[in-house]
Every structure is written in structure tokens, then in C-alpha cells.
Amino acid sequence: MIPARRPPLGPQLESLLLEAGGRLRASRAAAALTGAGLSVESGIPPFRADVGLWDRYDPLEYGTLEAFERDPARVWMMLRELSVALRGARPNSGHEALAQLESVGILSCVVTQNIDGLHQEAGSRRVVELHGSWRTMTCTRCRRSIGSSKVPLTDLPPRCACSGVLKPDVTLFGEIIPAHVIDAAWQAVRSCDCLLVVGTSAEVSPASSLPQAARDAGACVIEINIDCTALDDAVVDLRLQGPAGVILPRLVEAVGAPREN
Ligand code: NAD
Ligand code: ZN
């Protein structure tokens, strides 16, 4: 069979890819920090898009714990729209490439800000979900946990059998991230020698501090994004500019054959 031809990425990007591939191949333990941009090609809009969901619902207004406690039905209007995108989404070639890097022993962990569960669906096994997960919800009254796919979103807010309001297990702005999750994220970036920073604007704390922490611990930081971000050249060693679903599979190719353990 003749392999499908992929469009060339330009000599500069091709050479950066080779360099990044070499760094990954030589690394002892690489990690990835991912954000909403990675799931854009799965049909989930990022927060900082000019159009779509976040045009109508400012996440800083609708996505806070305080707003949820004050008026859960109002916040659930936004969450219901988000759930439509999340429920239909499938992992893209970027998620699959990261899972592949884990399966060949190069990537030791993915720290994600995403709540969509697409890393696990793609086959990644060591995933730290910094902002929780959409896949389950918890009753704010009796603390019962329930699979999100079982919760009808016809009447808002959705309620538990005890009539308490259900809240998805995602971290809203103003909500505290559990200590064991933060610890796992710091441990992952401090112990890696190469960090891929994929599809994140690096504007939401604490994720925004993780690339610097990796760099301070001596890691090579490789950024993959379609755009410029808040991370400056003092933090990032290599920038691969382009969609994650295109760049990451090419990066896997550039890494070459799996290492022998
Ligand atoms: P963000 O929306 O702030 O930034 C997205 C970044 O991705 C931008 O830098 C953008 O240039 C880049 N990007 C867009 N399309 C891309 C592509 N195809 N390939 C590579 N890069 C691309 O997202 P964030 O930094 O993750 O932080 C904001 C918050 O958004 C997080 O708290 C996260 O929990 C939440 N969020 C998650 C999802 C999800 O689970 N998929 C969706 C929306 C928002
Ligand atoms: Zn309940």
C-alpha cells in the first residue's frame, strides 16, 4: 500500500521536530502538560476562543464555585452546553500520539487541565487530571457519586435522588484542587527531564507555574501550540508551532524507534 502523503511543514519546523524528537529519544523520563487546545481538534472549544460557547458564557463569571453555589441552574446552563461538546468528543491524533509515547516508554505521565477524559480514552494510563473530570458528578448534599452519562440534563440543575444539586467533579474557579493531585503534578514536572507543553495558554494557575518548575529542575521544555503563549523564551527551549493533532504524530515519527529498556 502506498503511504498517505502528508503536507510538508516547512524546513524550519521539520528541523525543530527532528531536534525535539532527539531530545525526547534521549530523555530518561518525559512528561506532558496539556490544555484545552489539545482537544480543539476533537470539537471541544477552548476557553480563549473568540467564538462559540465562551463568547456567550464568560468562564470567569459562570465557572466559579461562588456562582455555582449562588445560582446552580444558571451555571448549569453553561455546563449543559459544554456537555454537548464533551459527550460527542473522541480522542484525536494528538491524544493518540501522547498515548503512543507512553506505550513505548518515553512519556511517564500526562498532567492535564482538561476535564474531557480523552487522554484515557486514547490509551494514556498515567494521567493527572488537575481540574478534575467531567465523567462523574457528586451530590452536593449526600455526596453520592454518579456517572455523568446517566444524568439527564432536561431540568436544571440536575438533582440526586435525595434532591440535592449535582455538581460535576470538575474544579471550578475558586475551588481548591485536592493536595494529592497538586502533589502528583509537581512530582511529575520536577522529576521529568523533558516536558511537552501542549495546547495551553499557560494563564490558569497552578498549571501555568509547572513549565517553569520543570525548567528550574533542569528539564528541556518543548511547547506545541498554534499561537504564542504566556511562556517566554526563558522557560521554553523549543517551540513547535502548529495544531497538536498534526505536530504530535510528526513528533512521534521524529522520535523514531522505541527504546530498549
Ligand atoms: P485555554 O483555552 O486558555 O488555551 C488554549 C490554548 O490552546 C491557546 O494557547 C491556543 O493558542 C491553543 N490552541 C488552540 N487550538 C490548538 C490546537 N489545535 N493545537 C495546539 N494548540 C491549540 O486553555 P487552558 O490553557 O487549558 O486553560 C483554561 C482552562 O480551560 C482549564 O482550566 C481547562 O480545565 C479548561 N477547559 C478544558 C476543556 C477540555 O477539557 N477540553 C475545554 C475548555 C476549557
Ligand atoms: Zn444526594
Side-chain angles (χ1 to χ4, degrees):
M1 211 201 321
I2 301 166
R5 263 182 67 81
R6 276 111 13 102
L9 297 175
Q12 203 190 350
L13 188 47
E14 296 281 6
S15 125
L16 286 170
L17 269 168
L18 282 179
E19 193 178 342
R23 299 275 188 116
L24 273 177
R25 194 168 48 242
S27 89
R28 237 182 336 93
L33 169 67
T34 67
L38 176 60
S39 295
V40 165
E41 290 156 88
S42 293
I44 305 172
F47 270 174
R48 280 155 188 85
D50 292 336
V51 290
L53 184 60
W54 312 117
D55 226 13
R56 278 167 291 127
Y57 300 103
D58 178 353
L60 292 174
E61 187 193 331
Y62 280 82
T64 67
L65 181 62
E66 198 247 319
F68 188 86
E69 285 170 347
R70 194 179 33 186
D71 191 349
R74 184 167 181 265
V75 171
W76 260 110
M77 301 259 288
M78 179 266 285
L79 293 174
R80 177 162 63 187
E81 284 203 40
L82 178 59
S83 82
V84 174
L86 291 172
R87 281 182 182 178
R90 291 288 163 268
N92 64 54
S93 44
H95 298 101
E96 285 161 5
L98 291 176
Q100 206 176 334
L101 286 176
E102 183 182 329
S103 73
V104 297
I106 286 177
L107 203 66
S108 56
C109 179
V110 175
V111 178
T112 187
Q113 296 166 85
N114 296 344
I115 56 169
D116 51 38
L118 294 181
H119 282 298
Q120 293 91 329
E121 235 182 274
S124 287
R125 287 189 292 174
R126 288 188 293 269
V127 182
V128 178
E129 293 178 308
L130 256 187
H131 296 163
S133 167
W134 179 266
R135 286 176 296 179
T136 52
M137 297 186 186
T138 300
C139 171
T140 52
R141 184 182 288 170
C142 73
R143 309 308 302 167
R144 180 176 158 232
S145 176
I146 180 165
S148 298
S149 59
K150 296 194 188 116
V151 177
L153 298 178
T154 30
D155 294 324
L156 297 182
R159 290 183 185 274
C160 170
C162 81
S163 90
V165 171
L166 291 171
K167 178 185 168 294
D169 291 337
V170 302
T171 310
L172 298 175
F173 289 108
E175 198 166 5
I176 291 165
I177 300 174
H180 71 274
V181 175
I182 295 273
D183 289 349
W186 282 99
Q187 166 68 18
V189 299
R190 286 201 182 114
S191 60
C192 76
D193 55 7
C194 185
L195 181 70
L196 301 177
V197 181
V198 186
T200 175
S201 61
E203 286 178 20
V204 178
S205 173
S208 51
S209 317
L210 296 175
Q212 177 78 60
R215 183 67 196 253
D216 291 347
C220 164
V221 177
I222 301 172
E223 183 175 66
I224 295 152
N225 201 298
I226 51 167
D227 220 335
C228 298
T229 68
L231 297 177
D232 63 29
D233 290 345
V235 179
V236 176
D237 292 281
L238 285 172
R239 288 182 206 277
L240 305 176
Q241 193 167 2
V246 173
I247 300 288
L248 283 170
R250 294 288 183 98
L251 186 55
V252 171
E253 282 176 17
V255 170
R259 289 183 307 178
E260 291 187 6
N261 283 318

